[in-house]
Amino acid sequence: MRKEEIYEMFASDSIEEIIKRIETADTGVPNWERDLKPQYDPMEHAIMKDLIKYPPKLDDRGQDEFKRTPLGLQKLAVKRVSQSMFATPVYRTYTYDNDQEQQRKAVELLETLYKVENSIDSTNIERAKSLNASCQIATVWWAREQEESHFLGTEQTKWVLGHKTYSPKDGYKIFPHFDEYEELTLIGIGYENTKKQDVLDVYTQDMYVRYVRVEEWEEEEGSRRTLEFMPVVYMQTSEPVWGGLEGTAIVEQLEEMESYQGLYIKSNSLPTFAIDMGDTAGKTKSVTSEKSTDRRRLIQLGKGGSVTDVTWSGAGESIEARYRRLRNAFFEQIQMPDISFATLISSNTSAENKELVFADAKQKAIDLGGEWIRFFKQEMAVVKMFVYTIFPSYRAAMEQISIRTELVPYDVKSEMDTAEYVNVAGSSMSLGTRVRLLGAVDDVQQEVEAIQEEGRAMSNQGIL
């Protein structure tokens, strides 16, 4: 939706028509309630809900004896991939003039507001979970004034910068609209308020307005206000990280195997006793009946009778092997190692090969990271505009700062491994790169300057 179309819509359409046009956003993203939630939530899986495909096994009390076993592997995939991407904090490189004190302070303000005040490292993991599950997120940034002032670094202010992320996974509906250059021009965020009324918050590049449906849609009084820029950053993916229906098909087979095996084990694990009835005219007598409510079973035999287990001896091994193959297929599909406790205990993978195990996971994180880099670029632009709105004197300095964001996938290397690597290859790196790789401090530039200052001091004293 181009800017001209937005102006025209608000100028000429009725509120009902405006809402209708906003909610007709076509993103191509799978619907959360209809398509994704039944896959993501293990209690919504077919093994739990589809009583035609998996009919109840009723006992004489009318209770279902079928051992329905849901597996939350889709939810596990979301957590594993998100943690692989953001367990190590995102690294930001600021390019600015080191000799300009104002620019250095501007960078400090950015990091304080973004990383410290907004706990962005924790937010990134939660945002990744929401995106990887529901395929959509929108983060809204705002600044509000408080009665009491506080310090941000060396600057005092009454303003607070905040943000909130919305996703269908948390019950929100997102309706993004873009222009011909794929720039976000309007976004609607729908939800239900505490009064059980439908609400739609609408953001454009120069306006915010809230609509509420009591009986009909109406504009909330006093909600409309002018914006200087679009304060929302949006991202979407085409499918969830578990591979959508392809991954769910594997999980359904695992659940079916576990459930039927549970029923079989219950049926065949009861105490069973064979009773010799003595001579019964040379005939074998066997009287036994099986019920799901049995607590034990009696098998009556005549003289010379016998009870033999004729179950296929390879059944258990075959089922276990197939279960492992299916589980491995699921994790291979999502490009994540199965690092459950049971797998690690039974694995003989050496410590030296751990990095190879996680190689595919790192590639998965890098692959998904492309859209995140674009997202962070847009987000930092929004945060910068808020910073020099709060601190107008820093506007010129802030505009001269460029920011590059780098995702750092989870690495199993220990601190000692990293230290040895830096020690061996350090001559080919700058001091700043070495400090960053070691990861012992947050402010790399400040640490570099401290090391250089200590070096100069020691040189002047003739120690070096």
Side-chain angles (χ1 to χ4, degrees):
M1 190 181 295
R2 292 181 290 108
K3 297 177 183 179
E4 295 78 10
E5 294 177 309
I6 294 173
Y7 297 145
E8 180 184 346
M9 178 181 71
F10 281 107
S12 59
D13 291 352
S14 65
I15 292 179
E16 291 286 344
E17 188 63 27
I18 290 171
I19 301 298
K20 183 178 179 181
R21 290 185 63 180
I22 292 173
E23 291 185 343
T24 54
D26 183 15
T27 61
V29 171
N31 182 276
W32 169 253
E33 289 291 335
R34 184 187 66 243
D35 304 323
L36 298 179
K37 186 179 178 182
Q39 299 178 49
Y40 176 79
D41 186 353
M43 300 307 292
E44 296 290 325
H45 289 181
I47 197 69
M48 304 300 294
K49 294 291 187 177
D50 193 341
L51 300 185
I52 296 177
K53 186 176 181 180
Y54 305 108
K57 310 292 183 182
L58 300 180
D59 60 17
D60 55 3
R61 295 169 295 178
Q63 296 180 348
D64 186 6
E65 286 291 300
F66 187 42
K67 299 304 176 184
R68 304 178 187 275
T69 308
L71 300 174
L73 293 182
Q74 293 94 328
K75 188 176 291 188
L76 179 62
V78 167
K79 292 180 180 178
R80 291 264 177 87
V81 174
S82 302
Q83 291 162 358
S84 175
M85 295 178 69
F86 294 110
T88 303
V90 171
Y91 184 75
R92 290 174 293 279
T93 302
Y94 295 91
T95 303
Y96 59 95
D97 188 347
N98 292 330
D99 296 329
Q100 294 292 324
E101 184 67 19
Q102 194 77 346
Q103 291 184 30
R104 292 182 60 184
K105 287 185 177 181
V107 170
E108 292 176 2
L109 277 174
L110 269 174
E111 277 292 281
T112 300
L113 282 166
Y114 189 59
K115 182 177 181 178
V116 180
E117 297 294 318
N118 279 274
S119 303
I120 204 65
D121 292 334
S122 299
T123 295
N124 285 339
I125 294 180
E126 296 306 314
R127 289 196 290 197
K129 290 178 184 177
S130 296
L131 179 71
N132 291 334
S134 65
C135 299
Q136 276 186 306
I137 59 169
T139 299
V140 180
W141 288 85
W142 69 82
R144 57 185 175 85
E145 191 174 14
Q146 295 180 323
E147 293 184 2
E148 297 183 0
S149 61
H150 63 285
F151 279 94
L152 292 172
T154 59
E155 299 294 333
Q156 189 174 11
T157 182
K158 290 185 176 181
W159 288 89
V160 173
L161 180 66
H163 73 280
K164 181 176 180 178
T165 296
Y166 301 87
S167 81
K169 179 172 171 287
D170 299 318
Y172 297 94
K173 297 178 181 179
I174 305 176
F175 309 102
H177 293 264
F178 305 88
D179 62 14
E180 63 271 28
Y181 305 108
E182 296 298 318
E183 183 179 357
L184 184 67
T185 54
L186 180 148
I187 188 167
I189 300 175
Y191 56 95
E192 191 178 79
N193 63 16
T194 55
K195 298 179 181 179
K196 303 299 181 180
Q197 298 170 333
D198 290 330
V199 179
L200 184 66
D201 290 337
V202 180
Y203 298 84
T204 72
Q205 293 179 332
D206 53 20
M207 183 193 70
Y208 163 79
V209 63
R210 172 175 291 172
Y211 296 104
V212 181
R213 181 161 59 186
V214 183
E215 294 181 355
E216 296 182 349
W217 282 104
E218 57 186 47
E219 182 177 325
E220 184 177 87
E221 185 178 355
S223 67
R224 186 181 291 254
R225 63 176 183 268
T226 302
L227 300 177
E228 295 183 10
F229 52 86
M230 171 66 80
V232 186
V233 190
Y234 171 81
M235 180 165 48
Q236 68 180 54
T237 58
S238 59
E239 68 175 16
V241 294
W242 63 82
L245 292 175
E246 294 179 10
T248 297
I250 296 175
V251 176
E252 286 181 347
Q253 291 188 62
L254 292 171
E255 291 172 329
E256 184 177 281
M257 291 174 63
E258 283 285 4
S259 299
Y260 279 114
Q261 274 299 102
L263 185 64
Y264 176 83
I265 290 170
K266 179 181 185 299
S267 177
N268 291 278
S269 61
L270 298 177
T272 303
F273 302 93
I275 302 176
D276 186 353
M277 302 296 294
D279 189 1
T280 57
K283 296 182 179 180
T284 300
K285 180 180 180 182
S286 175
V287 180
T288 180
S289 60
E290 297 183 8
K291 297 180 180 178
S292 61
T293 54
D294 285 347
R295 294 295 178 266
R296 66 177 182 177
R297 295 197 181 114
L298 298 178
I299 301 176
Q300 300 180 20
L301 303 173
K303 186 176 181 180
S306 64
V307 178
T308 304
D309 182 5
V310 295
T311 304
W312 176 32
S313 61
E317 292 82 355
S318 297
I319 291 171
E320 184 178 349
R322 176 166 167 75
Y323 186 90
R324 285 198 303 268
R325 289 197 301 271
L326 286 172
R327 188 178 176 94
N328 289 339
F330 176 81
F331 282 97
E332 286 178 4
Q333 180 169 294
I334 67 171
Q335 292 181 259
M336 290 295 296
D338 184 4
I339 53 174
S340 62
F341 291 122
T343 303
L344 291 178
I345 290 173
S346 61
S347 173
N348 59 0
T349 302
S350 64
E352 291 77 12
N353 290 332
K354 286 181 180 178
E355 190 172 358
L356 292 176
V357 173
F358 281 87
D360 209 21
K362 290 175 70 173
Q363 293 304 314
K364 174 83 168 182
I366 293 171
D367 182 40
L368 296 175
E371 283 299 313
W372 280 99
I373 296 298
R374 183 172 177 233
F375 178 87
F376 288 134
K377 181 179 179 180
Q378 295 171 343
E379 183 166 75
M380 289 307 300
V382 171
V383 173
K384 281 173 66 175
M385 286 186 280
F386 270 115
V387 171
Y388 59 62
T389 299
I390 298 173
F391 301 102
S393 61
Y394 283 92
R395 184 183 185 103
M398 199 70 66
E399 290 177 341
Q400 296 175 31
I401 296 171
S402 63
I403 307 166
R404 182 171 63 87
T405 303
E406 178 185 351
L407 264 68
V408 186
Y410 175 72
D411 198 332
V412 294
K413 285 183 179 179
S414 66
E415 292 182 356
M416 183 59 70
D417 292 333
T418 305
E420 290 178 358
Y421 168 69
V422 172
N423 183 50
V424 172
S427 59
S428 302
M429 306 176 188
S430 68
L431 179 57
T433 300
R434 280 176 278 169
V435 171
R436 180 172 73 85
L437 287 174
L438 288 171
V441 296
D442 291 331
D443 193 328
V444 173
Q445 184 61 35
Q446 184 178 10
E447 183 70 9
V448 168
E449 292 176 359
I451 293 173
Q452 292 173 338
E453 183 61 33
E454 288 180 3
R456 286 191 292 268
M458 297 174 70
S459 177
N460 292 335
Q461 295 174 12
I463 297 177
L464 297 178

